[in-house]
């Protein structure tokens, strides 16, 4: 039972410290929607999604009102679409993407993820067609998100896929140039992608998942920062303990929402993702947490160590507050979505190279990073390869969501609005990686992949 002190503490976290539930995401299997006819697939997909998720948004809103807990997004993730479209042409996959978009619109959700392909070891015909369809699909839909897994610890890195995705990102940016390449904000390239991630743009409903599940993603960087303000000057053991206790409180709220949504929708409870997901709101920033530990600015020396402490403490604290933990679970560092990261990038404290080092110790990877519009496809592919290597060697999920903003150069700023925030254009190396990327083939899996 909650005591009066805990109740008032929670109210304060919500009202003054930006505590919220970032998302309730319903995962839906589309494996039974397979057909050799694309129109039949589209009908099955639309009918199933709109039936399963017809009460998702209303349920989320009801929980918000009854418990006073802000739930920022209601989302859907589906089976990687390449799996239900083997043999289809790119134009067929675009048609499926538009069907997903219509289903998302009619159910009222914010985003739908799963226009995805898993090619860590090679391509099927369906994978190739879906990947070729990504630029057009993201340019002609509003709510559809896409992801491609190009590597894993067990399989190594599919460098042909890495090269292809650099080209796809460039093409997507051009097709959405009127919105500064916004289509790329809905596209993630993964290594070691997980099957139960509730966060966009990388969410998909894995083949090992149940028919339909509810996954919840929590937030709360502002709450952690406020907690650390009370232990200024204390040793790191105290800092870690404070973060653990705070993460427990944040996750307990997520667990409550997940169980309640599961009960009301009569859908199994999947997982709570422990990730600290920032917003552009001042105070709701992972960067500010790191600075509260004693760094003058996020990006200076010591940033990686501070982030490692934060990520580990969040996991340790959150794991005791939820019966089912999964997803990515840690600390996100999306540049354009984090007020502190935006500030650090704008004044030059935070570089692409430092962000890459930080991704070795936190959730996901290089996220929501805007680069000059003339950045070559091979350079983007090389950035993806570096992140995939970090994921492969360290047996962790890494990803790249990079936006080559057409016509923009270093120092410019791109406004995405909402949770996607403000993207300062960051510098990339002018040196070429083209010969390296053009080799193709597959980087073999590391020796520790043979542990079984």
């Amino acid at each position: 039972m909650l005591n009066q002190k805990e109740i008032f503490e929670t109210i304060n976290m919500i009202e003054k410290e930006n505590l919220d539930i970032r998302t309730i995401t319903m995962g839906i299997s589309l494996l039974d929607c397979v057909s050799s006819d694309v129109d039949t697939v589209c009908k099955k997909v639309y009918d199933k999604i709109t039936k399963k998720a017809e009460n998702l948004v209303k349920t989320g809103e009801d929980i918000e009102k009854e418990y006073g807990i802000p739930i920022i997004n209601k989302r859907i993730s589906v089976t990687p679409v390449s799996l239900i479209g083997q043999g289809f042409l790119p134009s067929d996959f675009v048609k499926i993407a538009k069907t997903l978009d219509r289903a998302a619109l009619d159910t009222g959700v914010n985003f739908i993820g799963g226009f995805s392909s898993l090619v860590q070891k090679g391509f099927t015909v369906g994978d190739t067609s879906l990947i070729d369809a990504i630029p057009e699909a993201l340019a002609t839909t509003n709510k559809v998100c896409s992801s491609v897994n190009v590597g894993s610890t067990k399989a190594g890195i599919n460098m042909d896929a890495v090269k292809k995705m650099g080209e796809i990102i460039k093409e997507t940016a051009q097709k959405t140039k009127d919105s500064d390449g916004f289509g790329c904000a809905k596209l993630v390239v993964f290594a070691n992608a997980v099957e139960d991630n509730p966060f966009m743009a990388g969410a998909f409903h894995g083949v090992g998942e149940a028919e339909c599940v509810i996954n919840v993603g929590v937030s709360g960087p502002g709450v952690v920062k406020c907690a650390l303000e009370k232990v200024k000057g204390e040793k790191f053991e105290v800092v870690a303990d404070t973060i653990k206790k705070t993460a427990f409180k944040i996750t307990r709220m997520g667990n409550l929402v997940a169980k309640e949504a599961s009960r009301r929708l009569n859908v199994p409870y999947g997982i709570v993702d422990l990730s600290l997901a920032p917003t552009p709101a001042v105070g709701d920033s992972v960067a500010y947490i790191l600075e509260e530990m004693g760094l003058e600015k996020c990006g200076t020396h010591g940033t990686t160590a501070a982030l490692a402490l934060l990520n580990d403490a969040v996991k340790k604290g959150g794991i005791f507050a939820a019966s089912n933990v999964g997803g990515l679970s840690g600390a996100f560092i999306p540049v354009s979505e984090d007020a502190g990261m935006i500030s650090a990038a704008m004044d030059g404290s935070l570089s692409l190279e430092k962000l890459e080092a930080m991704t070795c110790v936190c959730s996901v990877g290089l996220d929501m990073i805007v680069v000059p519009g003339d950045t070559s496809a091979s350079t983007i592919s090389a950035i993806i390869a570096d992140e995939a290597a970090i994921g492969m060697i360290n047996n962790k999920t890494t990803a790249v969501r990079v936006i080559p903003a057409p016509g923009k150069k270093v120092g410019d700023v791109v406004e995405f609005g909402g949770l996607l925030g403000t993207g300062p254009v960051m510098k990339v190396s002018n040196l070429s990686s083209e010969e390296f990327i053009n080799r193709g083939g597959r980087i073999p899996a590391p020796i520790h992949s043979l542990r079984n």
Side-chain angles (χ1 to χ4, degrees), residues 7-281:
I7 291 170
F8 282 117
E9 185 178 57
T10 301
I11 291 171
N12 186 66
M13 288 191 293
I14 292 170
E15 291 184 346
K16 298 180 180 179
E17 299 172 4
N18 298 302
L19 176 61
D20 58 51
I21 300 300
R22 181 53 48 86
T23 179
I24 293 178
T25 301
M26 177 179 281
I28 303 173
S29 173
L30 300 182
L31 292 176
D32 58 349
C33 296
V34 173
S35 171
S36 59
D37 176 66
V38 67
D39 292 326
T40 302
V41 169
C42 287
K43 184 179 186 307
K44 287 182 174 182
V45 165
Y46 177 83
D47 289 347
K48 185 166 188 180
I49 291 172
T50 52
K51 181 178 180 181
K52 291 284 187 182
E54 62 180 340
N55 295 317
L56 176 62
V57 172
K58 182 180 184 302
T59 298
E61 291 172 346
D62 288 346
I63 293 172
E64 282 185 276
K65 292 174 184 175
E66 292 177 34
Y67 288 87
I69 302 171
I71 301 173
I72 306 303
N73 280 289
K74 295 83 180 174
R75 300 165 171 169
I76 295 169
S77 63
V78 298
T79 304
V81 169
S82 67
L83 299 180
I84 64 167
Q86 292 298 320
F88 284 174
L89 299 172
S91 58
D92 296 325
F93 280 108
V94 171
K95 185 177 288 190
I96 296 174
K98 291 179 178 179
T99 300
L100 293 173
D101 203 46
R102 184 162 59 93
L105 181 66
D106 290 348
T107 55
V109 297
N110 301 93
F111 290 106
I112 185 165
F115 195 76
S116 306
S117 182
L118 310 176
V119 295
Q120 58 268 23
K121 209 167 183 179
F123 302 92
T124 65
V125 173
D127 291 325
T128 301
S129 289
L130 181 136
I131 291 171
D132 285 339
I134 288 173
E136 181 68 17
L138 297 184
T140 56
T141 60
N142 295 312
K143 297 176 180 287
V144 173
C145 292
S146 179
S147 60
V148 176
N149 193 68
V150 299
S152 72
T153 299
K154 284 289 188 181
I157 304 172
N158 181 349
M159 290 300 291
D160 293 322
V162 168
K163 178 182 179 182
K164 181 69 173 177
M165 289 313 299
E167 297 163 355
I168 290 295
I169 289 169
K170 285 286 288 185
E171 186 180 346
T172 302
Q174 283 302 312
K175 281 188 175 292
T176 56
K177 62 182 179 182
D178 292 342
S179 56
D180 294 320
F182 178 72
C184 298
K186 301 186 292 175
L187 173 60
V188 182
V189 184
F190 276 118
N192 288 321
V194 297
E195 297 188 325
D196 54 5
N197 168 23
F199 289 102
M200 299 298 169
F204 64 85
H205 188 71
V207 295
E209 294 290 304
E211 180 72 11
C212 186
V213 297
I214 288 292
N215 297 322
V216 166
V218 298
S219 186
V223 180
V224 175
K225 180 185 181 297
C226 288
L228 291 183
E229 288 174 358
K230 300 170 185 175
V231 294
K232 283 185 181 294
E234 297 283 0
K235 293 186 181 296
F236 282 115
E237 291 91 341
V238 177
V239 172
D241 196 44
T242 301
I243 295 171
K244 284 189 288 184
K245 291 175 180 177
T246 307
F248 176 86
K249 295 171 185 175
I250 294 169
T251 308
R252 186 167 56 177
M253 181 180 290
N255 192 56
L256 168 68
V257 170
K259 287 186 173 181
E260 189 62 20
S262 170
R263 183 185 67 81
R264 296 185 185 199
L265 291 165
N266 195 29
V267 171
Y269 164 20
I271 57 95
V272 172
D273 189 312
L274 309 178
S275 299
L276 291 181
T279 74

Side-chain angles (χ1 to χ4, degrees), residues 425-439:
V425 180
M426 301 185 71
K427 181 180 181 299
V428 299
S429 175
N430 293 322
L431 300 175
S432 174
S433 307
E434 188 169 2
E435 186 176 342
F436 174 76
I437 294 300
N438 283 340
R439 285 180 177 271

